[in-house]
Amino acid sequence: MATYKLTYFNLRGLAEITRIMFNIAKVPFEDIRLEYPPKEFAELKAAGKFAANLNRVPILDYNGVQIGQSKAIERFVAKKLGFMGTNDIEEAQVDMMCEHVRDIRIKYNEIRFNKSGEELEAAKKNFIVNDLGVWLEKLENVVPNSIYSVGDKLSLADINIYLLILDFFTPSEEVEKAKENCPKLKAIANNVAEVAKDWLASRPVTMF
Ligand SMILES: N[C@@H](CCC(=O)N[C@@H](CS)C(=O)NCC(=O)O)C(=O)O
């Protein structure tokens, strides 16, 4: 039987989509969580433990083979567990949706990680009030009227949409307003939340 060991910090961050896939598929994996803020990380890094991700995490150990880069890990695990569509076209569509979600998250992260203090708060609010709804409505336009964004089963694309709609932004009236014209995205996200509810209720509570 295949063995999966996923090493990351004790955060949702770049590992959570993969953890959600293992939990929905009920496939056992070792969820190795390094202390955050990092303590033992420097020592393990110096010992070459994370070379496959250029001395960073996450790292997936699959049957003793080390795989780095969170998106490569997500796609690999999605393929193994059946979350990457049922044919080449669906696989490309899943990939496309994931990249759409990534683009929107990057836009917000560019603000989050490049500003501070009052300037940060003002820029975050400006994005949420003026830009987020516009991007979400574009995404809403490319998903079908279904609880699945691609084909007729849950995929990596749906889990990305779940993260964007229900996890990534701190809840607020403005965030709710940005989502108000996106019933299809909400239905997809709510379906993932329902299917993954045991994991979401029992996972460690972390700051991000
Ligand atoms: N593109 C990489 C980025 C990996 C990355 O930046 N990991 C961070 C944690 S989120 C890390 O290990 N930082 C510690 C360090 O760089 O020393 C991926 O997606 O896996």
Side-chain angles (χ1 to χ4, degrees):
M1 194 178 124
T3 61
Y4 297 93
K5 296 179 198 172
L6 182 64
T7 301
Y8 190 59
F9 294 121
N10 184 27
L11 299 171
R12 300 191 301 284
L14 298 180
E16 194 60 17
I17 287 180
T18 302
R19 295 187 188 118
I20 290 174
M21 284 191 282
F22 282 127
N23 278 280
I24 292 178
K26 299 196 184 341
V27 168
F29 75 110
E30 208 176 318
D31 188 8
I32 302 168
R33 290 168 180 258
L34 307 174
E35 202 168 337
Y36 189 88
K39 276 202 182 144
E40 75 266 60
F41 186 69
E43 237 171 73
L44 293 168
K45 184 154 81 164
K49 295 281 182 203
F50 311 124
N53 201 352
L54 310 184
N55 290 340
R56 301 164 304 174
V57 283
I59 296 276
L60 178 73
D61 179 309
Y62 171 73
N63 289 343
V65 176
Q66 309 278 303
I67 301 168
Q69 286 292 353
S70 57
K71 298 295 156 199
I73 294 170
E74 285 169 15
R75 285 190 287 263
F76 176 77
V77 170
K79 268 193 185 177
K80 289 281 178 201
L81 306 188
F83 294 119
M84 207 60 203
T86 53
N87 55 48
D88 288 354
I89 301 286
E90 285 187 4
E91 181 173 331
Q93 289 170 328
V94 168
D95 230 345
M96 173 189 79
M97 293 295 180
C98 295
E99 293 303 310
H100 288 336
V101 170
R102 179 144 64 142
D103 281 354
I104 299 172
R105 292 176 60 172
I106 284 174
K107 287 193 182 299
Y108 191 60
N109 281 342
E110 276 166 2
I111 296 168
R112 273 167 90 198
F113 300 130
N114 290 311
K115 296 190 190 301
S116 60
E118 280 178 18
E119 201 196 357
L120 170 65
E121 290 315 309
K124 276 167 41 179
K125 188 161 183 172
N126 180 54
F127 178 85
I128 287 168
V129 171
N130 295 313
D131 300 329
L132 182 59
V134 176
W135 283 108
L136 291 183
E137 284 176 37
K138 286 182 189 173
L139 190 58
E140 173 81 2
N141 285 338
V142 292
V143 296
N145 198 3
S146 159
I147 55 170
Y148 305 119
S149 60
V150 176
D152 55 9
K153 64 189 281 233
L154 198 149
S155 70
L156 177 60
D158 298 348
I159 300 172
N160 271 271
I161 289 170
Y162 157 78
L163 237 87
L164 181 69
I165 297 296
L166 291 177
D167 184 280
F168 184 61
F169 294 99
T170 306
S172 71
E173 264 178 41
E174 287 95 349
V175 169
E176 277 314 304
K177 181 131 187 56
K179 295 190 248 177
E180 73 183 352
N181 294 324
C182 304
K184 293 184 289 180
L185 292 177
K186 286 184 195 167
I188 292 162
N190 287 336
N191 180 56
V192 173
E194 173 60 26
V195 173
K197 65 176 186 273
D198 290 348
W199 168 247
L200 299 179
S202 65
R203 68 185 177 181
V205 175
T206 59
M207 62 179 109
F208 50 84

